[in-house]
Amino acid sequence: DAGITQSPRHKVTETGTPVTLRCHQTENHRYMYWYRQDPGHGLRLIHYSYGVKDTDKGEVSDGYSVSRSKTEDFLLTLESATSSQTSVYFCAIRPGREATEAFFGQGTRLTVV
Amino acid sequence: DQQVKQNSPSLSVQEGRISILNCDYTNSMFDYFLWYKKYPAEGPTFLISISSIKDKNEDGRFTVFLNKSAKHLSLHIVPSQPGDSAVYFCAASASGANNLFFGTGTRLTVIP
């Protein structure tokens, strides 16, 4: 299995509070991604990173920010959590962008009440 | 707008028979396609991929077919086993792009 660890695995938080999810990899892969999975929507990209301090938005980035200060860590922050951000969040890593598969973490189930 | 579409939310198949999962895409720039399998409470795991220079790729019981003119790919599982019961996602990417785009998934149930 690819060395990807997501933390926490489960979290319940209140509306309006900030939340940070962590993704840690031991593979030294360049690309890291945050996806959310929702019924009827599949996996949708929130943000991704193509190197330290290099990040870009995905298709559902509103309300989220990310940071990558080290190759191995990619943080996803919900500045002010809303109920619509209740979801399962997956981190993925990819060695390159050309014809390579992405490897996923175990997921973080976030509930905003 | 969904660039990768899986129009069948679910599929049930008898053990030993063939499972065929379908995927359509709209972006003609996509040139690399992947299938992932996902069990409950786990992350998606890579299953098989195909480049646009091929029309078929096989790995054991799993075969992916690509029809570029129709912008369609399919995953065949033969023979289907109960352990294949999972949600299957197709994904696509384009050369030079950083993104992987995923479909909405098809839940496969293999009946013993």
Side-chain angles (χ1 to χ4, degrees):
Chain A
D1 288 345
I4 311 170
T5 305
Q6 290 185 231
S7 58
R9 293 294 312 279
H10 302 271
K11 187 170 182 65
V12 180
T13 192
E14 292 187 351
T15 298
T17 59
V19 177
T20 295
L21 308 183
R22 180 181 183 238
C23 178
H24 178 79
Q25 64 148 328
T26 59
E27 306 295 323
N28 201 35
H29 284 347
R30 179 181 176 192
Y31 289 85
M32 298 186 76
Y33 303 82
W34 277 107
Y35 287 89
R36 59 179 289 176
Q37 184 195 5
D38 303 289
H41 292 280
L43 292 159
R44 293 181 293 174
L45 182 67
I46 305 171
H47 282 279
Y48 65 95
S49 169
Y50 47 97
V52 173
K53 298 193 189 306
D54 292 322
T55 65
D56 206 348
K57 295 179 180 180
E59 54 188 314
V60 289
S61 59
D62 287 348
Y64 301 95
S65 62
V66 290
S67 66
R68 191 169 178 198
S69 58
K70 298 184 291 185
T71 298
E72 57 267 34
D73 289 323
F74 192 32
L75 304 180
L76 176 70
T77 298
L78 290 67
E79 303 291 347
S80 177
T82 67
S83 58
S84 64
Q85 294 176 311
T86 292
S87 185
V88 181
Y89 292 85
F90 289 101
C91 174
I93 63 175
R94 201 177 181 199
R97 63 185 183 189
E98 303 293 338
T100 58
E101 60 266 29
F103 301 95
F104 283 81
Q106 295 282 71
T108 295
R109 180 172 293 278
L110 176 68
T111 303
V112 183
V113 298
Chain B
D1 191 27
Q2 195 85 21
Q3 298 189 54
V4 179
K5 301 178 183 180
Q6 294 176 258
N7 293 317
S8 298
S10 63
L11 173 69
S12 291
V13 171
Q14 290 286 337
E15 181 179 4
R17 305 295 292 268
I18 184 172
S19 295
I20 300 176
L21 295 95
N22 294 303
C23 180
D24 298 294
Y25 61 96
T26 58
N27 190 338
S28 57
M29 299 301 292
F30 288 153
D31 57 6
Y32 188 63
F33 304 89
L34 310 92
W35 283 95
Y36 283 82
K37 176 179 180 179
K38 185 184 180 304
Y39 293 119
E42 295 184 10
T45 55
F46 170 73
L47 197 55
I48 192 169
S49 63
I50 188 167
S51 165
S52 60
I53 62 174
K54 296 184 176 181
D55 54 19
K56 176 183 175 182
N57 189 26
E58 194 171 354
D59 184 1
R61 296 185 297 113
F62 302 92
T63 303
V64 56
F65 295 92
L66 176 63
N67 183 333
K68 290 185 288 294
S69 61
K71 295 190 178 68
H72 177 84
L73 63 154
S74 61
L75 175 68
H76 293 210
I77 307 173
V78 183
S80 300
Q81 299 173 354
D84 296 329
S85 296
V87 177
Y88 289 79
F89 291 98
C90 67
S93 69
S95 294
N98 295 315
N99 227 349
L100 273 179
F101 293 89
F102 283 82
T104 52
T106 297
R107 181 178 301 278
L108 173 66
T109 303
V110 180
I111 304 164

